[in-house]
């Protein structure tokens, strides 16, 4: 969501004071569709009617950029790019430097998000050249502020958050000069929110909270923009989550959810669903965790599909532009396109695997808390065939099973020298009978049986004694009976579904949240 926030402002700025005075019906409708519209399909139909009814080139450009932004919010990025390119072309031909500069800024954002940074920078530089032709000081200051915010997003893409903070502060100096109160408050709210996000990324929560609250103060000076307010409360909710203040975290996340639903913005909804899934995981509300995690993954899947289509459209447009200038580099573009597609596939697979790991993690903890010493994959009613009942008398079978249960409770399976013959001698039987009992009631062979007992034993230790989370993997391996770090890690992954280091990270996060 934060990655394309600046794009919306490039698209939805008005040449007249539409935010405060709304001089005519066109600007009144334009303003309403930007700030108050919840039904995107209705908004698109209305914006299309504005375009068709426009009696001048300027209003056509405005309508095209408005349509681009609405399609963007609807996640139809192909149509969004199409209208944006047409708006930039028309603004260029008509000499509307302000609107061409804004369209170039939005195209820079669009291509940046699509992974085509070089094309994005080209439009950003074009916007800079065009902006120098803008004579009105108010408009020039506004665009310079937006320009620095766009530069900040390129810094964020490089994980240079300190530089992003500097650029956002610089953007704020330009926005402070705006005379129009509505636009000044709106842009400063955006700037303060961006500062909050970047300070949060720098792990400076106090500074982040300060700027988020300043953003809310500036938002109060507008008629309210649900997307912005939703992102601000989401940011505050994440901070309180990190500080284990779950009451205040819940308060802000619920507000964020309300604004997300009011805006109809899919990306914001996805961000809020993800935050809520983390919140409910922390408070161990598995039902709601699963609900919001599933909703979040649905949004991710939809965004992946939309992003893949955008990549194709963006790359196609690059082909066309380069063909005009006889600088076509099909091999490079094909590689970029392939890498982006692979990135989409990787992200989708990664999200699904993370979801399964979360479920596996909670399932393991539930079993450990119930006192189970291994996965509950057996039943005592299994195996009543005539051949099996002839193996040994029923009384002997039950006696051996009881002795095996006492062996599990004793913890002697951590002995590195344990073997099937040693265990058989311990419970007073032979290896054949022992294998029979383990196969019938545990549904596994001897080695798997011992390994699972050891792994569940060490998981229980980590759950009950937090100090174990600070021990080295090699120590944990020896503690539960494994001869080496590598063997322990391999068996742990096979039994639990993830490496021991990853499981310990999940457990630390859970305990920190309690």
């Amino acid at each position: 969501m934060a990655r394309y926030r600046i794009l919306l402002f490039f698209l939805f700025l008005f040449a007249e004071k539409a935010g405060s005075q709304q001089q005519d019906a066109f600007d009144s409708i334009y303003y309403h569709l930007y700030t108050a519209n919840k039904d995107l399909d209705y908004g698109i139909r209305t914006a299309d009617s504005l375009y068709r009814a426009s009696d001048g080139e300027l209003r056509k450009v405005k309508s095209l950029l408005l349509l681009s932004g609405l399609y963007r919010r609807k996640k139809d990025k192909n149509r969004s790019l199409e209208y944006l390119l047409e708006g930039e072309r028309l603004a260029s031909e008509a000499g509307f430097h302000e609107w061409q500069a804004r369209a170039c800024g939005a195209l820079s954002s669009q291509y940046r998000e699509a992974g085509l940074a070089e094309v994005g920078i080209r439009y950003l530089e074009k916007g800079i050249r065009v902006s120098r032709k803008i004579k009105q000081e108010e408009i020039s200051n506004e665009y310079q502020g937006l320009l620095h915010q766009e530069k900040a997003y390129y810094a964020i893409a490089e994980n240079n958050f300190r530089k992003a903070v500097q650029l956002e502060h610089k953007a704020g100096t330009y926005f402070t000069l705006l005379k129009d109160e509505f636009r000044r408050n709106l842009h400063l709210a955006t700037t303060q929110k961006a500062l909050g996000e970047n300070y949060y990324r720098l792990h400076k929560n106090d500074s982040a909270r300060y700027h988020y609250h300043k953003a809310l103060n500036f938002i109060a000076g507008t008629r309210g923009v649900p997307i912005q307010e939703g992102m601000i409360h989401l940011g505050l909710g994440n901070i309180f989550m990190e500080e284990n203040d779950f009451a205040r975290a819940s308060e802000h996340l619920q507000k964020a959810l309300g604004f997300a639903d009011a805006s109809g913005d899919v990306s914001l909804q996805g961000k809020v669903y993800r935050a809520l899934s983390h919140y409910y995981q922390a408070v161990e509300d598995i039902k709601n965790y699963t609900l919001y995690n599933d909703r979040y993954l649905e949004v991710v899947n939809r965004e992946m599909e939309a992003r893949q289509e955008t990549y194709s459209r963006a790359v196609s447009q690059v082909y066309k532009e380069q063909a005009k200038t006889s600088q076509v580099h099909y091999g490079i573009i094909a590689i970029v396109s392939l890498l982006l597609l692979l990135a989409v596939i990787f992200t989708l697979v990664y999200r699904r695997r993370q979801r399964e790991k979360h479920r596996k993690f909670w399932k393991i903890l539930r079993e450990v808390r119930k006192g189970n010493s291994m996965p509950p994959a057996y039943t005592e009613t299994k195996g009543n065939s005539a051949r099996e009942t002839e193996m040994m008398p029923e009384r002997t079978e039950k006696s051996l099973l009881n002795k095996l249960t006492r062996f599990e409770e004793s913890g002697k399976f951590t002995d590195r020298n344990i073997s099937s013959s040693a265990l058989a001698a311990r419970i007073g039987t032979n290896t054949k009978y022992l294998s029979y009992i383990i196969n019938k009631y545990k549904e596994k062979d001897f080695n798997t049986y011992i390994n699972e007992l050891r792994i569940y034993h060490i998981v229980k230790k980590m759950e009950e004694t937090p100090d174990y989370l600070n021990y080295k993997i090699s120590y944990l391996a020896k503690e539960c009976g494994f001869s080496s770090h590598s063997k322990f890690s391999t068996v742990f992954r096979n039994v639990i579904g993830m490496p021991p280091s990853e499981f310990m990270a999940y457990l630390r996060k859970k305990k920190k949240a309690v």
Side-chain angles (χ1 to χ4, degrees):
M1 183 66 210
R3 290 178 300 172
Y4 69 85
R5 181 203 70 215
I6 186 67
L7 183 146
L8 297 176
F9 285 99
F10 274 120
L11 294 176
F12 294 131
L13 294 172
F14 326 115
E16 296 80 11
K17 295 183 179 179
S20 58
Q21 296 179 8
Q22 301 182 13
Q23 294 177 352
D24 57 28
F26 179 92
D27 289 319
S28 177
I29 296 172
Y30 194 111
Y31 170 80
H32 173 77
L33 292 177
Y34 167 45
T35 60
N37 179 60
K38 300 177 183 179
D39 186 339
L40 294 178
D41 290 327
Y42 165 78
I44 288 170
R45 290 194 302 270
T46 305
D48 185 66
S49 297
L50 281 179
Y51 173 74
R52 296 178 185 280
S54 296
D55 53 5
E57 297 299 305
L58 178 58
R59 288 186 173 179
K60 286 184 179 180
V61 171
K62 287 185 179 183
S63 299
L64 287 169
L65 267 62
L66 175 61
L67 281 164
S68 175
L70 292 171
Y71 273 113
R72 174 71 183 206
R73 287 172 58 186
K74 195 180 177 183
K75 291 301 167 190
D76 189 341
K77 298 180 183 179
N78 290 335
R79 297 293 296 276
S80 175
L81 183 62
E82 177 183 327
Y83 281 112
L84 191 52
L85 289 166
E86 178 63 16
E88 193 275 331
R89 182 195 65 79
L90 187 60
S92 176
E93 292 178 353
F96 300 138
H97 303 311
E98 173 195 352
W99 288 90
Q100 184 187 3
R102 288 172 177 170
C104 286
L107 284 166
S108 172
S109 298
Q110 193 105 317
Y111 282 113
R112 169 173 51 80
E113 293 167 29
L116 299 174
E118 290 186 4
V119 183
I121 291 173
R122 187 193 312 165
Y123 273 105
L124 184 58
E125 292 174 346
K126 185 177 182 179
I128 293 172
R129 292 194 301 271
V130 173
S131 68
R132 295 186 182 125
K133 301 177 183 179
I134 300 173
K135 297 180 180 179
Q136 299 96 322
E137 183 179 357
E138 178 89 347
I139 296 172
S140 177
N141 285 331
E142 188 170 36
Y143 185 78
Q144 287 299 318
L146 289 170
L147 174 64
H148 280 82
Q149 285 190 327
E150 178 64 9
K151 287 181 178 179
Y153 279 99
Y154 281 98
I156 292 171
E158 297 172 353
N159 292 325
N160 192 343
F161 304 126
R162 295 186 184 280
K163 183 178 179 181
V165 166
Q166 294 173 356
L167 289 165
E168 289 290 353
H169 276 300
K170 185 66 175 177
T173 62
Y174 285 105
F175 293 141
T176 302
L177 298 174
L178 297 180
K179 297 177 182 178
D180 184 284
E181 184 180 2
F182 169 80
R183 289 155 72 177
R184 183 176 65 249
N185 286 332
L186 186 61
H187 286 309
L188 288 175
T190 305
T191 303
Q192 293 299 323
K193 188 195 75 66
L195 286 168
E197 291 170 342
N198 283 302
Y199 278 117
Y200 179 72
R201 295 183 181 108
L202 290 167
H203 308 292
K204 295 183 177 181
N205 286 1
D206 288 340
S207 297
R209 183 166 32 240
Y210 169 77
H211 287 287
Y212 276 131
H213 283 297
K214 287 195 71 174
L216 287 175
N217 290 336
F218 282 117
I219 280 286
T222 70
R223 290 178 174 80
V225 183
I227 295 177
Q228 285 286 72
E229 292 177 273
M231 290 190 290
I232 294 168
H233 284 291
L234 174 61
L236 287 168
N238 285 332
I239 289 174
F240 287 120
M241 270 287 293
E242 192 169 292
E243 296 174 349
N244 296 331
D245 188 342
F246 296 119
R248 298 176 75 179
S250 176
E251 176 187 348
H252 284 287
L253 291 178
Q254 290 301 325
K255 287 182 179 180
L257 180 62
F259 285 120
D261 291 339
S263 70
D265 188 274
V266 177
S267 287
L268 176 57
Q269 290 171 343
K271 296 272 188 181
V272 175
Y273 294 155
R274 183 169 184 263
L276 282 169
S277 72
H278 289 166
Y279 166 78
Y280 285 116
Q281 181 185 12
V283 299
E284 299 189 22
D285 185 339
I286 305 303
K287 180 179 179 181
N288 278 313
Y289 160 74
T290 303
L291 171 67
Y292 283 104
N293 193 51
D294 288 345
R295 288 184 180 179
Y296 165 64
L297 291 172
E298 288 176 9
V299 171
V300 169
N301 291 337
R302 289 161 61 187
E303 287 192 322
M304 289 299 103
E305 294 172 359
R307 190 173 299 171
Q308 185 175 346
E309 292 178 4
T310 302
Y311 292 156
S312 301
R313 179 62 63 90
V315 171
S316 175
Q317 182 61 32
V318 172
Y319 280 143
K320 293 178 182 178
E321 291 183 1
Q322 291 187 338
K324 292 178 182 178
T325 58
S326 302
Q327 297 177 352
V328 182
H329 303 291
Y330 292 103
I332 295 175
I333 298 300
I335 292 172
V336 171
S337 181
L338 178 60
L339 289 175
L340 292 172
L341 178 59
L342 290 174
V344 170
I345 295 172
F346 172 80
T347 302
L348 187 58
V349 172
Y350 173 78
R351 296 293 187 188
R352 289 178 177 173
R353 286 180 178 175
Q354 288 297 105
R355 178 183 177 185
E356 291 303 316
K357 285 180 179 179
H358 276 289
R359 291 182 173 177
K360 182 72 173 177
F361 172 78
W362 285 105
K363 181 180 178 181
I364 294 294
L365 287 191
R366 285 196 297 270
E367 294 300 331
V368 168
R369 289 169 180 174
K370 289 178 183 177
N372 291 341
S373 57
M374 63 172 51
Y378 66 91
T379 171
E380 296 190 9
T381 61
K382 184 180 176 182
N384 291 320
S385 65
R387 182 186 63 81
E388 289 178 334
T389 55
E390 292 174 358
M391 177 67 71
M392 69 183 74
E394 182 178 356
R395 179 180 299 176
T396 302
E397 188 172 308
K398 288 185 176 180
S399 175
L400 291 177
L401 183 60
N402 288 334
K403 291 179 180 179
L404 201 61
T405 299
R406 289 196 293 273
F407 165 73
E408 294 171 1
E409 294 171 350
S410 72
K412 298 296 184 181
F413 47 78
T414 59
D415 182 353
R416 268 182 275 179
N417 297 318
I418 193 73
S419 64
S420 59
S421 57
L423 179 56
R426 180 183 180 85
I427 65 175
T429 187
N430 56 48
T431 56
K432 182 177 180 180
Y433 278 12
L434 174 64
S435 296
Y436 168 76
I437 293 294
I438 292 175
N439 288 335
K440 178 178 178 179
Y441 291 99
K442 311 300 180 180
E443 297 187 2
K444 47 185 66 74
D445 59 28
F446 174 79
N447 287 333
T448 303
Y449 168 66
I450 294 296
N451 284 339
E452 288 186 357
L453 285 173
R454 289 171 171 175
I455 296 300
Y456 264 64
H457 170 75
I458 203 66
V459 166
K460 186 176 182 180
K461 288 283 188 182
M462 288 189 286
E463 164 67 5
E464 295 178 348
T465 310
D467 286 346
Y468 272 76
L469 298 175
N470 300 320
Y471 296 158
K472 293 182 178 180
I473 301 297
S474 57
Y475 176 84
L476 298 179
K478 292 179 180 179
E479 176 77 6
C480 61
F482 286 95
S483 58
S484 68
H485 174 293
S486 59
K487 185 174 181 180
F488 169 72
S489 297
T490 300
V491 174
F492 194 100
R493 180 190 287 271
N494 291 338
V495 175
I496 303 300
M498 65 186 79
S501 57
E502 188 173 352
F503 182 85
M504 292 166 73
Y506 276 121
L507 201 53
R508 287 191 196 98
K509 185 176 180 180
K510 171 190 166 294
K511 289 187 178 297
K512 182 179 178 182
V514 174

